[in-house]
Structure formats: C-alpha cells, structure tokens
Amino acid sequence: MPCQIRALSVVAVGIALSTLAAGGVSGLSTEDDGFRWKVHDEDRPKPPVVAIENGVPSDAVVLVGAESGTDALRSGDQPCLWSFEDGVLKVNPGTGDIHSRDSFGDCQLHLEWKFPEGRSVNGQMGGNSGVFFLDRYEVQILHTFENESYSDGMAGSIYGQFPPLANPIKPAGQWNTYDIVFRGPRFDDEGDLVRPATLTVMINGVLVQDHVGLLGPTRDKARTSYEPHDPVGPLRFQDHGDPISFRNIWLRSLSAPQMAE
Ligand code: MG
C-alpha cells in the first residue's frame, strides 16, 4: 500500500474510533442524536406478522396458484385466453399478451416459469416471454440455458437496457424462479422525473439486477425516456409466440420506503 494511502487509512480509523467513543454515530448512540427512535425503543412499531402457507405469504395477492383459475387475468377486455390446468398457466401462442385484472404499483413479485423439453431455441426465438411492470417495464424471460443472445436481452435483463449479472437459467423442463422488487418512477407536479423506476431481480436465488435505475420504459430495439404516468398499472405477461409455462405467481404491494420512519 502506498504510504499516502496507508496514512489516510490510519487517520480514518482514528476518526472513526473517536466518533464511536463520543457516541456520535447514528444507530450506536443511546442519546438523543436527532434520530426519531432510540436504540431498541420499545415504542417503535413492530412489523406485521406474515404467515407462509404453501410458500405463499399471507399478505400476497395470488395471480396464479394451484387453485386460482385465471379470474385475476385478462386478454384485453376478455377472460384470459392462455391455457390453465393443474395450477399451470401456459402461453397460448398467437392469442396475445395477458395482463392482471387489477392494477399494482410498487411490489414484490414471485413467479416460476419453464421452457418445454424437446423444443429448439435460437437467440431470442423459441423461448421468449417477459413480465412488464406498470405495463411498461420488462424483465426478460428467455430460455438462456446454452442459448446465446445479446446480453441486454438475456433472461433477467431489463430489456434493451441492462444485462443480468449472471445467467442461472436451468435446462429445459425445469422450473425457474424469479423474485423481483419493483419500485415505480416518481414525478413531480410539473411531470418531471424525480426518481427513476428501480428493479432488483433474483433468478433461482441468484442476484441478477441490484436495485438498478431504469432509463425509461423498455422497448424492442429502442431507447425511450420517461413520460409521467399513473403510479399503478396492470402487470403484463408477454406472448412472444412460445409455449412458456408459468406457475405460482403472487405479489405483495409495497408501501413507500420508510428508511427514517
Ligand atoms: Mg420478452
């Protein structure tokens, strides 16, 4: 380590230790340091209990489950035209995208999907779908097990914007899990962007998007910019012409971040 950097490190450690000794670091002090709550404050509200039944949190809205049917989904203004049997929803190629009957904003989404065995795939063709938040922001679904494609279109990409950090997609015939945290963009009264939409995505338990700020709505072969829109909208699933199966789709609506509450 160069001398100058080593000297700076020693100074930094010294400052940190003296600050700790003075009880001046927020979160370590038991004094009134301006933070709303004291350390271990018994009056601080407790988080709600969330029970888990068959892997589904009790405060989740189930869009597709073992006994859900497809009542929560629509094809345009018609009932869902994709097939549904034994808890498995399957793209009915050519019938078009489907969307949730209800609108959602910030949320935690869980879904599972599977590419069928025995089907050929080539880049973006053969094993493609996707999930769009607020009908605009796509997290790509693509069978990328031993299948090459452009990186900002791989499974777990924010389509056309950000490649995934890893490619943990399983072989054909096996279920993949997506766990996603979506926060919508915020606009001020003039319609100017205050904060971009953000996405955090785990595929099969592997982090592939780490609280990434989106450039705007996702588009094929194009970049876009933000235009003000409602804070809620339908969740959309893509019919890209491929018989992708889905199961266990549920989401939890999230309130605004409350870091300092
Ligand atoms: Mg897609």
Side-chain angles (χ1 to χ4, degrees):
M1 184 186 291
C3 284
Q4 202 170 10
I5 294 176
R6 191 197 307 262
L8 284 172
S9 300
V10 170
V11 170
V13 168
I15 291 171
L17 288 174
S18 59
T19 309
L20 275 174
V25 174
S26 178
L28 295 176
S29 171
T30 56
E31 304 302 317
D32 180 5
D33 55 5
F35 191 66
R36 181 173 170 185
W37 303 102
K38 292 183 300 195
V39 175
H40 309 320
D41 194 327
E42 292 294 343
D43 292 332
R44 198 167 185 176
K46 306 291 188 295
V49 171
V50 176
I52 308 295
E53 190 167 343
N54 296 323
V56 182
S58 54
D59 58 354
V61 173
V62 175
L63 297 180
V64 175
E67 289 155 17
S68 67
T70 55
D71 288 351
L73 302 170
R74 291 284 181 275
S75 290
D77 53 8
Q78 307 177 66
C80 176
L81 294 174
W82 292 8
S83 69
F84 182 78
E85 194 173 351
D86 296 332
V88 176
L89 177 75
K90 193 168 170 185
V91 178
N92 190 0
T95 59
D97 295 357
I98 61 166
H99 60 87
S100 61
R101 177 193 58 204
D102 299 325
S103 288
F104 304 98
D106 294 359
C107 65
Q108 172 191 349
L109 175 74
H110 173 91
L111 66 83
E112 300 170 29
W113 67 271
K114 182 173 71 171
F115 174 77
E117 287 180 283
R119 181 176 173 81
S120 64
V121 63
N122 180 14
Q124 294 285 308
M125 305 309 291
N128 193 333
S129 184
V131 56
F132 292 76
F133 294 84
L134 296 183
D135 205 26
R136 291 175 175 81
Y137 306 103
E138 183 185 12
V139 174
Q140 173 72 312
I141 290 172
L142 188 73
H143 183 61
T144 46
F145 179 83
E146 297 181 349
N147 174 38
E148 294 273 321
S149 185
Y150 44 83
S151 61
D152 63 3
M154 292 179 65
S157 65
I158 297 168
Y159 190 74
Q161 298 186 15
F162 299 103
L165 299 171
N167 176 17
I169 293 300
K170 295 179 181 177
Q174 297 186 29
W175 289 99
N176 296 287
T177 64
Y178 275 27
D179 288 284
I180 303 173
V181 177
F182 170 78
R183 297 272 185 192
R186 300 294 191 268
F187 303 93
D188 64 18
D189 291 343
E190 277 71 54
D192 293 325
L193 184 71
V194 174
R195 198 188 74 196
T198 59
L199 278 161
T200 299
V201 181
M202 312 263 264
I203 298 180
N204 297 326
V206 176
L207 182 69
V208 300
Q209 299 288 350
D210 185 5
H211 194 66
V212 172
L214 277 63
L215 305 175
T218 57
R219 278 295 140 67
D220 190 26
K221 301 182 182 67
R223 289 271 166 75
T224 65
S225 53
Y226 284 100
E227 303 217 340
H229 57 69
D230 288 345
V232 299
L235 201 64
R236 176 158 59 93
F237 298 90
Q238 186 180 46
D239 169 12
H240 201 277
D242 304 317
I244 302 293
S245 296
F246 292 87
R247 70 178 184 186
N248 296 332
I249 307 178
W250 52 257
L251 66 81
R252 301 177 59 244
S253 289
L254 301 174
S255 57
Q258 296 176 349
M259 299 291 288
E261 292 292 306

